[in-house]
Amino acid sequence: MSRVYAVCLLLLMSASLGAQGANSRAVIDIDNDWGYTESDATAPEALDTPATRWQSVTLPHTWNALDATDETPGYRRGAGWYRRTLNLDSYQSGRRFVLYFEGANTVADVFVNHSRAGGHVGGYVGFEVDITPFIRRGDNDVRVRVDNSDDPDVIPSDRSDFVIFGGLTRDVWLEVLSPVSLAHLEATTPIVTRDSARSHLVVEIANPEKRRGSYTVAASLRAPNGTEVASGRTSVAMTGEPTRALTMDLPPVRSPLLWGPGHPSLYNLVVSLSSGDGTIDRVERRVGFRWYRFEPNGPFYLNGERLLLRGTQLHEDFAGLGAAIPNERHRRDLEMISEMGANFVRLAHYPQDPEVYRAADSLGLLVWDELPWDRGGVGGDRWRANTRRLLEEQIRQNISHPSIILWSLGNEVSFIIETFNRGDTASVRGFMRELKSVAHSLDPARPTAVRQIDEVADIVDVYAPSIWAGWYRGVYADYEKALLDAHTKYPRMLHMEYGADGHYGRHSENPINGAGMRLESGYAESVGTPVANIARNGDWSESYQTDLLDWHLMVTERQPWLAGTAQWIFRDFPTPLRPENPIPYVNQKGLFTRDGKPKDAYYVYRAYWTTSPKFVYIVSHTWTERSGAAGKPVTVRAYSNCSSVDLSVNGKSQGDKSRVTSDFPSQGLRWDVNLSEGRNSVVAVCAGADARVRDSLDFNYTTAVAGRPSRIALGAKQLPNGHLLIEARLLDGNGRQSLGAADRLYFNSQGAGRLMVDLGTPTGSSVIQAANGYAAIEFVPPPAGKRAMIVARTQEINGARLDLVGSSVVPAEAKP
Amino acid sequence: MSRVYAVCLLLLMSASLGAQGANSRAVIDIDNDWGYTESDATAPEALDTPATRWQSVTLPHTWNALDATDETPGYRRGAGWYRRTLNLDSYQSGRRFVLYFEGANTVADVFVNHSRAGGHVGGYVGFEVDITPFIRRGDNDVRVRVDNSDDPDVIPSDRSDFVIFGGLTRDVWLEVLSPVSLAHLEATTPIVTRDSARSHLVVEIANPEKRRGSYTVAASLRAPNGTEVASGRTSVAMTGEPTRALTMDLPPVRSPLLWGPGHPSLYNLVVSLSSGDGTIDRVERRVGFRWYRFEPNGPFYLNGERLLLRGTQLHEDFAGLGAAIPNERHRRDLEMISEMGANFVRLAHYPQDPEVYRAADSLGLLVWDELPWDRGGVGGDRWRANTRRLLEEQIRQNISHPSIILWSLGNEVSFIIETFNRGDTASVRGFMRELKSVAHSLDPARPTAVRQIDEVADIVDVYAPSIWAGWYRGVYADYEKALLDAHTKYPRMLHMEYGADGHYGRHSENPINGAGMRLESGYAESVGTPVANIARNGDWSESYQTDLLDWHLMVTERQPWLAGTAQWIFRDFPTPLRPENPIPYVNQKGLFTRDGKPKDAYYVYRAYWTTSPKFVYIVSHTWTERSGAAGKPVTVRAYSNCSSVDLSVNGKSQGDKSRVTSDFPSQGLRWDVNLSEGRNSVVAVCAGADARVRDSLDFNYTTAVAGRPSRIALGAKQLPNGHLLIEARLLDGNGRQSLGAADRLYFNSQGAGRLMVDLGTPTGSSVIQAANGYAAIEFVPPPAGKRAMIVARTQEINGARLDLVGSSVVPAEAKP
């Protein structure tokens, strides 16, 4: 993060701590100028050798940005060291210096001038280290040892289906404080109605020097328009206690502007601490007024009205970054979730970056916040103590965010490693009761939840059973039945996690249908083969993913009793558990690729969940080679939120179709059309007032069915970033692209230039399954005049090569 | 190589150059004390920066020892630099200093004190660099830039189905010479009969200082018992020529001891050069007397008698070493080939280390020596010039070896990269004629050959067509027909390359049979499924590999007209072309694994080809979990070279069987036996005088058929080298090992210790297919007290872990 951005953050961000005058708090971004070295050393002085090579890094940073998605099994779980120089001479004497880490994965030890100043066990939550006793004049040497080794005493389990990225994966701040300062502030809204809203504050004062004296805590709450709507003040006589906690209840706000999706009204709370010398500290919080409930056997209500929770889920991950995501990206992710029409997001499977909650607050997105008790059963005493403490820290840190509606206490905790004998039902139930009690005592207002731990469904307040109709289990046409069955079983339920893997760019003229039948061709329902275990035996096409999600949305939108659902998952993400996925080690259930390219399924959501802006999308812009039987019409579909859409093919209208939610698939927006051999142009236009909303697509169509591939054709396409896209097409003996071919392509290069690999994306993996006989990889070309050679192979095809000089392909005839 | 070994070599080895006195030649091993750095720099001074890190290495060395068999596609093809200090002050002035490189892959530039002293284009053959003009008093800085980048002007092609290892992959020598010295010596045996053998010598004298004077060349040939049997002497008046070549024909040796398999009699030739000052140089060669011919439409004759060429093939490769193989290993390889009964070996696909030929000479093994024109068609003028020159160098270097019977001019040269437009029939034929003419002019005595280039079958003297019955093509029961068809088509033919991939430890109760049928169970011939393309769709079991090779040997042994065959290949080896093999990137057609463990197929060869020592081998020592239908006998087979064998099961004799070569499989040594549920003990004993020859095997048998695996059981076994063998078993829901499971296992470790990966072996690959539901990997355990964790996964099974402290497994119940 840049310093400029940091300053803006200080001025603008809801949860940040405001700076005010020399006596007040200063909060300084120290993300830049760190050194990083990979070392398992435990003492900082062990690094004081010439052999240590410090790599210059800016935070956030993880050492697993690439290795989780390289071809080597596993990823590095071990220790890394960060080092930074901190010169504090410009501050007046008597100030206190605290480092605030938004998160370090998963165990941190902080050293100042080689003395241990503090640390933290457990990732994903913030912690502070008071370094005042360890600093000296001149440069101070700050070193942080971070370790993401598997530790059986620390959640999440090593069996988790995601990557536990190691490093200082979030921002680090230097807080410069008065000797007596505000240590913690919680602002909750225990009683909200349309008429009145109460704010409850918990204020903690830090006084490590055990000073004595009179202090005043003042609170001021301002409406979004800046008008002060409530205030309070209390005197505190400090008599040498190192800390002091107090509560304040502000006078009720009358006719509050309520917070919710579409109207994320946020009030601004300022709490200040003053002594005889004036204000010595000042902290701000954004406050949102809302109330909600999960009706037994019924839906979810927000502010007294039914709200169908339309959700998706998000990991802290992006291609090339891993979990070390800058705040701009976090905010953009939440905006994109909002833009797709969702009002609900599960932060899977751990508390996320503070910016995520700030964004959710300001966008009106409801949040399922989750303790990273993911798989692995119940551990021993140290594990229990750590897990309890991490839940306490998470709630304490996040309690003020209006967006959070649930504390999830875990996920799939009975998925244990077989050889790791822990987690019998009784101990899971017992420990879950403890956690629930911790949550309710710290935050009486919010319900608890878990997902897929049937043995504790009766313990938590809201339960999310596992229903994966048409993917891990059964067929998607059975989804409604499965949902209704769960409804009768679990009085307060949410359906978290449904979906299917979709390999970007893989499409099918005849995907497995809702009855689990693989049809021989087109939509002739008369012949088909039942597919058992579609996750294993399906084709992982976008077509199937799109159909499955389309069906799920059709079903969920018509359940008046339903609290809500959350699709799995917003964006593809890496996992060590899935080595043979089309993109190895990548969970491909995302609506977006790991680098943020939308799949067709994204438009299904926009069609169901948004009303504006209007759009129409022809399926599919990544399906530009199609084939079918001669003389047989081909189905072209579109997704749109317009009321009706006209489709024309090669200039000829195919008629206007009205959008009907219950008309699966694509809400009735599908046309059986006759295509020409070769190039076809399709245009879709919304009707009436939305006639400016349109989409067009050119694609090739053939009735000649290609055989098994026998060779690879390689080409290069210039990309806007100056790189080349190396495209591989699997061709049969007649030079036709084998649209059904899903062979794995293996790319490598020689000479100058560099393939973009280990990114876990459709154009950033050296090993990737073909999609409709096509695969591609991005290449950083060599400087002008330098030679490079790119080779692509499959197991069956020995290879093809592309020779380059600079960015230019050397034509075959020009070769020696 | 150690200095001690080098000294022994100097004293003993047939082709080495003998040291004799201060005026004579000194040949010094300089394999040790090299530095290596990976750098594409082209000038030696570019490395003179503190950033350059020289790794200490001993030759032979390659930078591709591990990366060819890691999981990342491709392997590094680029440049590497070697550096060594050479202090020559102890030598008297006037001596000449020549570096002799046995081979550098594939382009070398040699610098002395930063001046380019010489170099070589093309790998696999030796070359010398006279460094005399560049040396100075004190330390001399010798640097060698070696580059194995793909170069379209240098064979072999980048499409070759093997790894082109980069580096100084063979020994390097310092030769200290007189100003006038012997530069080259060829000793051939143009006319050999039972009564008389003539030796023809080519002697070249180097005189770079263009001295004038009288010299004498003397030759002395001694029989294996040390008796001089022929000698010659000639005077040479040097008149300032820089080089001088002369020929000598020694008087015929009467009743020579003939050279051949089983009687590798070698005579010792010493050629010396003397001047007025006495002997100034001296070189030795081993000479073998033999004659041979390929009879048109008929067999091969050696020394007047038919000899069926029983061959295999060998790459220069070993696990963990790549092509950088020490001489001890080369010699052991040839000994093992000899011990298995072979009399013939093809050096695939390039000239190999000098030690290989020395070993073949001394073991009586006949050799097919091959120019590395492998795939890739015909190149341009520079390519042609290089290829011609490399053939000349190869013949000049190897011509004296009695073991070599054929100069192979190429292999599969019409396998070209599609996008690399070269290699039409006319140009292949034209260039092949040129090469044949080069070979015949340099060596009129030896026939030329090629393999699988049908368009030049009529050009070369001996042709090897492609017949892969039962693997890449058809079924193995058709092998005899295919062989006879080829016999009618190609008047002088050898069958080089047949075989099948066999994944070590994978066995089947019902392998695909000779008719290409996959039988449902046992040998009930009534039901079966025909398997098309067995290489692609077969199970790659040792069982199938064994059957196929057994059948091939049965067929070849009964063809009176057949010159010979060579099985592909002696040992598993890496290739960039086969990423999805059970061991990724490893060609698994070896009789041995890449680290030298015998597969069952090895014993087939010993049974057919050896008469002593006697052995019996029960199939299979790597098949210790078997299953079958209840109440149905199970076939147990043995391979042996005894005349008859008795088998007992659980202490009860199953009868004596006579070995009958025509009784497929296992020459009749098979018994249908009833096994007990659980442990069974089988003992095989040879009959009569060989009763001390026996084999025993314990294995488990069950009639309960395991289902699909649902979990992985991990265990650790202590190995003699102090490492642990981590064993993974795929178990079904009932805890039974899924014997049919071939899922890929993915291994990784965390914490201390180290998995042995990237070795391309059954216990040295982080990714490997299960064999009968089992896979293993070697682990270097952590020091006592240090923790490690090993994780194994499949795509379907999320994982199992094994916790270790030091070498001890932490039992599940002891875990926190």
Side-chain angles (χ1 to χ4, degrees), chain A residues 53 71-74 77 149-150 152-153 158-159 375 379-380 415 417-422 536 576-581 585 708 711 744 746-748 750-751 766-767 787 789 793-796 798-801 803 812 815-816, chain B residues 53 71-74 77 149-150 152-153 158-159 375 380 415 417-422 536 576-581 585 708 710-711 744 746-748 750-751 766-767 787 789 793-796 798-801 803 812 815-816:
Chain A
R53 309 190 143 248
E71 299 313 317
T72 307
R77 299 192 67 181
S149 299
D150 176 63
D153 291 332
D158 66 298
R159 203 189 184 182
R375 303 191 172 182
F415 278 56
I417 295 287
E418 294 80 356
T419 52
F420 198 79
N421 180 30
R422 64 193 207 175
R536 187 179 294 168
L577 304 192
R578 297 165 188 265
E580 292 172 16
N581 278 6
Y585 300 106
R708 279 284 307 156
R711 70 184 187 89
R744 265 191 207 88
Y746 296 79
F747 291 100
N748 72 85
Q750 292 177 33
S766 59
V767 180
R787 289 181 58 216
M789 173 175 126
R793 300 193 161 102
T794 70
Q795 170 74 356
E796 302 299 338
N798 283 345
R801 59 184 267 179
D803 286 86
K815 284 172 197 163
Chain B
R53 307 190 145 250
E71 299 312 317
T72 307
R77 300 193 66 180
S149 299
D150 176 63
D153 292 333
D158 65 300
R159 203 188 184 181
R375 303 191 172 183
F415 278 55
I417 295 286
E418 294 81 354
T419 53
F420 199 79
N421 180 29
R422 62 194 209 176
R536 187 180 295 169
L577 304 191
R578 298 165 187 264
E580 292 173 16
N581 279 6
Y585 300 104
R708 279 284 306 157
S710 64
R711 71 183 187 90
R744 265 191 207 88
Y746 295 80
F747 292 99
N748 71 86
Q750 293 177 32
S766 58
V767 179
R787 289 181 57 216
M789 173 175 125
R793 300 192 161 100
T794 69
Q795 169 73 355
E796 303 298 338
N798 284 344
R801 59 184 267 179
D803 286 85
K815 285 171 198 163

Side-chain angles (χ1 to χ4, degrees), chain A residues 181-227:
Chain A
S181 62
L182 294 168
H184 181 64
L185 170 61
E186 292 175 11
T188 53
T189 57
I191 304 172
V192 180
T193 67
R194 294 208 173 277
D195 302 328
S196 159
R198 287 178 186 276
S199 310
H200 175 74
L201 311 186
V202 176
V203 181
E204 290 177 21
I205 299 167
N207 178 27
E209 296 172 15
K210 300 182 183 171
R211 297 199 176 192
R212 307 169 75 92
S214 291
Y215 297 87
T216 301
V217 174
S220 166
L221 185 69
R222 289 176 188 275
N225 66 5
T227 312

Side-chain angles (χ1 to χ4, degrees), chain A residues 402-573:
Chain A
S403 52
I404 296 174
I405 58 167
L406 288 159
W407 298 120
S408 167
L409 305 177
N411 180 61
E412 299 177 358
V413 305
S414 301
F415 278 56
I416 59 162
I417 295 287
E418 294 80 356
T419 52
F420 198 79
N421 180 30
R422 64 193 207 175
D424 61 281
T425 299
S427 60
V428 169
R429 285 180 63 84
F431 192 66
M432 192 62 78
R433 278 203 190 87
E434 276 188 63
L435 290 184
K436 182 187 177 188
S437 147
V438 167
H440 281 191
S441 75
L442 291 174
D443 184 1
R446 284 187 179 90
T448 58
V450 296
R451 183 188 158 274
Q452 193 173 357
I453 320 174
D454 284 358
E455 59 268 49
V456 300
D458 62 318
I459 294 175
V460 291
D461 303 303
V462 174
Y463 183 61
S466 176
I467 306 170
W468 276 96
W471 196 243
Y472 295 118
R473 212 134 313 152
V475 297
Y476 65 73
D478 285 345
Y479 176 54
E480 190 159 20
K481 181 176 180 310
L483 201 58
L484 292 168
D485 284 353
H487 174 47
T488 60
K489 203 163 167 188
Y490 305 111
R492 283 189 183 83
M493 71 162 267
L494 278 172
H495 179 207
M496 310 298 288
E497 299 196 15
Y498 65 90
D501 284 86
H503 187 40
Y504 183 76
R506 181 177 291 169
H507 303 277
S508 172
E509 302 287 346
N510 51 339
I512 293 168
N513 72 8
M517 300 291 274
R518 195 195 305 276
L519 304 175
E520 292 313 312
S521 65
Y523 289 92
E525 299 278 346
S526 54
V527 287
T529 313
V531 176
N533 196 336
I534 295 171
R536 187 179 294 168
N537 302 317
D539 66 4
W540 291 44
S541 65
E542 285 200 57
S543 309
Y544 182 76
Q545 182 192 30
T546 300
D547 283 353
L548 180 146
L549 296 175
D550 191 340
W551 185 276
H552 275 67
L553 289 176
M554 177 182 71
V555 167
T556 54
E557 292 291 316
R558 70 189 179 203
Q559 310 302 321
W561 58 270
L562 182 64
T565 62
Q567 175 267 348
W568 184 263
I569 190 173
F570 184 65
R571 189 164 59 220
D572 292 354
F573 67 98

